[in-house]
Amino acid sequence: MFAPLLQNLRDRRPLVHAITNYVTANDCANLLLACGASPIMADEPDEVPEITAHAAGLVLNLGTLHRTTIPAMVACGKTANQKGIPVVLDPVGAGASQLRTATALRLLREVRFTVIRGNLSEVETLARGQGGAPGVDSTQRVTADNLDACCALVRDFAHRTGAVVALSGAVDLVSDGQRVFIIRNGHPMMRLVTGTGCQLSCLAGAFAAANPGQPLEAAAAAVCAMGLCGEMAHVRLGPLDGSGSYRTYLMDAICRLTPDQLEKGARYELR
């Protein structure tokens, strides 16, 4: 199912505009290059509509939120909507502060998103429309005990927003409001590398840009690819390797991933 989507990404090399955070901007840019896309990262409100108009995909990340970037996000989101460009929202830390929560909810009101990707805490916050959740690096996880409830959460939120919702965790869920992909790729060591979620959002933006009209499959392919590369990176670790080497091996795996590897290595069920 996913091999053609990765091949499209390699062949079409979409330009992805990402307003991301300064903690992970370099890794996000390198990931976009590694997966086959091209990155551009502009956040000046006076130029972002023009930049976005030339892109094939847009990613908005709330990681290091500033007052000046909020109008930039709104402006380029509206431009992307006018141009039919897919938009990904990464509501980092939604629920951790009033500003983050209010900004995420404003974006949901003013921009039509193709994909919304967050952890369980962030998705619950946006689904409720209020704050109070732990937000970034949430300890809340999808488990066997709450799997059905989490599937219902992402399905309902996707239905209400019209976006594909990708809930990341030890088990990942991706839904378009009807179907739900339950994805079991990944490795616990990914938690030791800051920004893997931000990178995943950029990867989702690249897949969506390269595969217009297939937002559910594109988001699910991105989630499977990121998790599979996390597994492949762990296999390479030697006795003296730690999180620094793992970070490098993860990027290597994304760069070297083939459509056939993704097709064979993706572990998911569809409900």
Side-chain angles (χ1 to χ4, degrees):
M1 175 184 290
F2 297 141
L5 281 72
L6 179 56
Q7 191 60 57
N8 287 341
L9 175 52
R10 304 290 198 201
D11 292 342
R12 295 172 180 171
R13 305 192 64 83
L15 177 66
V16 177
H17 178 201
I19 298 184
T20 186
N21 68 79
Y22 56 70
V23 176
T24 65
N26 183 262
D27 281 344
C28 287
N30 281 320
L31 174 133
L32 286 167
L33 289 169
C35 76
S38 295
I40 187 167
M41 295 179 169
D43 59 10
E44 169 53 50
D46 288 343
E47 73 166 352
V48 291
E50 183 180 1
I51 295 294
T52 300
H54 295 296
L58 173 66
V59 179
L60 303 179
N61 179 301
L62 274 57
T64 48
L65 193 63
H66 294 281
R67 288 288 184 183
T68 56
T69 60
I70 296 171
M73 290 183 179
V74 173
C76 61
K78 290 182 176 180
T79 298
N81 287 168
Q82 292 168 1
K83 298 287 185 178
I85 298 166
V87 189
V88 176
L89 174 64
D90 188 338
V92 178
S97 74
Q98 292 183 359
L99 178 62
R100 288 177 183 275
T101 305
T103 299
L105 293 174
R106 177 186 174 185
L107 288 168
L108 286 178
R109 289 193 304 270
E110 299 190 31
V111 178
R112 294 189 310 276
F113 287 97
T114 308
V115 179
I116 300 169
R117 191 219 63 81
N119 63 34
L120 179 54
S121 167
E122 293 157 352
V123 170
E124 284 186 324
T125 293
L126 298 187
R128 288 198 315 267
Q130 60 185 5
V136 65
D137 293 333
S138 170
T139 57
Q140 300 182 53
R141 306 291 180 197
V142 179
T143 66
D145 291 336
N146 68 8
L147 180 60
D148 289 342
C150 289
C151 285
L153 170 70
V154 297
R155 186 183 287 112
D156 177 69
F157 190 42
H159 178 73
R160 288 194 284 121
T161 59
V164 170
V165 175
L167 193 162
S168 298
V171 177
D172 302 301
L173 306 177
V174 182
S175 178
D176 62 354
Q178 297 182 358
R179 298 164 292 174
V180 181
F181 279 90
I182 301 172
I183 299 169
R184 302 183 187 277
N185 287 107
H187 192 277
M189 198 164 183
M190 297 177 77
R191 298 178 193 171
L192 299 183
V193 177
T194 189
T196 52
C198 300
Q199 293 174 59
L200 172 56
S201 293
C202 285
L203 188 60
F207 267 98
N211 297 279
Q214 296 180 274
L216 175 64
E217 293 80 4
V223 171
C224 286
M226 192 73 185
L228 177 60
C229 287
E231 297 168 11
M232 295 165 67
H234 185 261
V235 170
R236 285 189 61 186
L237 290 176
L240 298 180
D241 287 335
S243 58
S245 299
Y246 184 76
R247 172 174 173 256
T248 298
Y249 296 156
L250 178 60
M251 193 69 69
D252 288 345
I254 292 164
C255 184
R256 303 294 294 178
L257 183 67
T258 68
D260 185 60
Q261 285 176 318
L262 177 57
E263 194 70 38
K264 293 179 179 177
R267 292 186 286 120
Y268 63 89
E269 61 179 283
L270 189 57
R271 287 191 183 181

